[in-house]
Amino acid sequence: MIMAIIAVAVLFSVSPKLEKQVSQPAPPPQRLIIAPQLPAAPLLSVAVTLECTARSSGKIENCQVLGETHPGMGFAEAAVALMREATVDPGPQDFQFARTIQFRP
């Protein structure tokens, strides 16, 4: 009888343990959250600084952009176009000057 008990004990100690398969709970469905569209901040002040050449005749030419506060928005091109129509008083010689143009609403 003792041999039978020992045989059963050895049998249980050698046999693989049966583990209960536990499935992971399904993750909750993902929800798409859409942020509300906020209005774009108004451009309160835009500045473009140009360097130009004033000819002795009074005509302004060769304007180059030295800096701008909002690059890529077309203000530099607009400032150069404004200076194409500008003139200065005729003088004895050509000179270079810098001008900052402010765009405001």
Side-chain angles (χ1 to χ4, degrees), residues 69-88:
T69 58
H70 294 76
M73 296 185 72
F75 290 103
E77 293 83 3
V80 170
L82 286 171
M83 292 305 289
R84 280 190 206 120
E85 304 298 322
T87 59
V88 296

Side-chain angles (χ1 to χ4, degrees), residues 5 9-14 19 22 28 35 47-48 54 57 62 66-68 70 73-74 82 84 89-90 98 103 105:
I5 294 174
V10 169
L11 180 65
F12 280 114
S13 67
V14 177
E19 294 183 17
V22 178
V48 178
S57 65
N62 304 327
L66 295 179
E68 56 185 309
H70 294 76
M73 296 185 72
L82 286 171
R84 280 190 206 120
D89 291 335
F103 294 90

Side-chain angles (χ1 to χ4, degrees), residues 14-94:
V14 177
S15 67
K17 295 182 180 179
L18 296 176
E19 294 183 17
K20 182 179 178 183
Q21 295 281 337
V22 178
S23 63
Q24 296 291 333
Q30 292 184 352
R31 294 177 19 172
L32 180 61
I33 299 173
I34 300 174
Q37 291 290 335
L38 300 175
L43 295 175
L44 300 177
S45 178
V46 176
V48 178
T49 302
L50 301 174
E51 181 180 63
C52 303
T53 301
R55 299 291 179 201
S56 59
S57 65
K59 184 176 181 178
I60 296 177
E61 298 177 340
N62 304 327
C63 290
Q64 302 294 318
V65 177
L66 295 179
E68 56 185 309
T69 58
H70 294 76
M73 296 185 72
F75 290 103
E77 293 83 3
V80 170
L82 286 171
M83 292 305 289
R84 280 190 206 120
E85 304 298 322
T87 59
V88 296
D89 291 335
Q93 63 186 16
D94 296 351

